Amino acid sequence: MVLDLNKCLGCQTCTIACKKLWNRDAGTAYAYWNSVETQPGEGYPRRWEETGGRTATGEVKRGEVPGIDEGYGRAWTFNHQQVRTEIGSGVRKPWLRPDAPPTWGPNWDEDHGAGEHPGTNHYFYLPRLCNHCTHPACLDACPRRAISKRGEDGIVLVDQDRCHGYRFCVEACPYKKVFFDPERGVATKCIFCLPRIEEGVAPACARQCPGRLRFVGYLDDPEGPIWKLVERWKVALPLHPEYGLGPNVFYVPPVGPVAFDGAGRLVEDEPRIPDALLERLFGPRVHEALRVVRDERARRRRGEASELMDLLIAYDWNASFRLPTGTREVL
């Protein structure tokens, strides 16, 4: 999958589509297989970038299991009964509010930018799901061999009949996209909408996205959008490539506006989103990817043809998803 961050609205439609379809068990009320967080920010779970992954020699690095309250944020409950009882009573106007003051939750940092207003203030949205890595740390960390990677499409799955709930997979995943169901005592995670993929239908998060920012296909298909964005144009990059897992979800980094100077004038050579932030997320190749996107945008503004812009604009929504059914070799 490729996600163009220049088009993400932060509307969470993808999050809700996934949650409603796959992840409604009581034990995973706190868990979101797909989430959208605001960058810069602490993310979901909180400070997920700090633990897990692999060592310099390729061994699985033991990380931490985030706590439900302080890491993920327990699902909030609301005063629905009070509102239903008091509404129309004429005593006072009831307000719908959480039963207890919330302390953390998905996208807690929503729209909290960084920098100085109006000169360098900035933020952007970062949708995240399981990266279905080529070398998944969660798979290697599982002593029960309950996690597997399908050869035909590269989807990483958990066999919950084999899982004993050790949570080593949660520790090892540096993206923290494996969750633990404390009621059933098993690991849960994104299955990349496996039943839909097998029928040639894109995952729900992609099909429901109103911004048309998601592209789905196979990395070895030269006629598909993934190969074109990752290999041909090289504008789609993995998240934290230094983790060494070979993530198979890629991002077109946000171009972002330029900064203002003290007099409120645009400064053409000073990006508002700091280079250091983008390098931390997408590695040093981010600068070349941004240069290509800017050049192709300029080409289109001059009225010239641009295959890359036509692809990213997604005039034909069906062209964003190329999922022929049947067996296919992957990485």
Side-chain angles (χ1 to χ4, degrees), residues 32-112:
Y32 290 84
W33 292 357
N34 181 99
S35 59
V36 182
E37 58 195 46
T38 298
Q39 285 287 339
E42 294 189 76
Y44 166 81
R46 203 173 196 170
R47 297 188 289 276
W48 59 268
E49 296 172 276
E50 297 179 3
T51 68
R54 292 186 184 277
T55 65
T57 56
E59 299 170 335
V60 173
K61 186 189 300 181
R62 293 285 297 273
E64 297 179 356
V65 177
I68 291 181
D69 290 302
E70 67 275 16
Y72 298 100
R74 200 173 294 272
W76 305 349
T77 60
F78 291 83
N79 60 333
H80 291 108
Q81 183 60 39
Q82 178 191 12
V83 172
R84 281 195 293 267
T85 303
E86 294 184 2
I87 195 167
S89 65
V91 177
R92 63 190 178 98
K93 183 179 181 181
W95 290 93
L96 186 66
R97 55 172 59 87
D99 291 325
T103 57
W104 189 254
N107 203 14
W108 185 267
D109 299 304
E110 184 174 8
D111 295 357
H112 286 192

Side-chain angles (χ1 to χ4, degrees), residues 53-54 59-63 135-149 156-173 178-180 185-189:
R54 292 186 184 277
E59 299 170 335
V60 173
K61 186 189 300 181
R62 293 285 297 273
H135 311 291
C138 61
L139 185 155
D140 290 342
C142 178
R144 290 282 300 165
R145 298 185 181 276
I147 297 181
S148 61
K149 183 175 175 66
V156 176
L157 299 172
V158 177
D159 182 345
Q160 294 184 332
D161 290 330
R162 292 190 61 83
C163 179
H164 276 199
Y166 297 143
R167 285 167 277 186
F168 296 144
C169 53
V170 182
E171 290 180 345
C173 176
V178 188
F179 301 90
F180 178 67
V186 295
T188 72
K189 65 180 293 299

Side-chain angles (χ1 to χ4, degrees), residues 161-215:
D161 290 330
R162 292 190 61 83
C163 179
H164 276 199
Y166 297 143
R167 285 167 277 186
F168 296 144
C169 53
V170 182
E171 290 180 345
C173 176
Y175 303 101
K176 291 294 176 278
K177 278 298 178 183
V178 188
F179 301 90
F180 178 67
D181 182 336
E183 293 202 4
R184 294 192 297 141
V186 295
T188 72
K189 65 180 293 299
C190 159
I191 59 172
F192 211 72
C193 284
L194 172 62
R196 298 167 65 102
I197 292 294
E198 290 183 336
E199 296 297 327
V201 179
C205 59
R207 287 292 294 259
Q208 296 297 318
C209 175
R212 297 188 179 185
L213 64 97
R214 298 191 184 223
F215 301 82

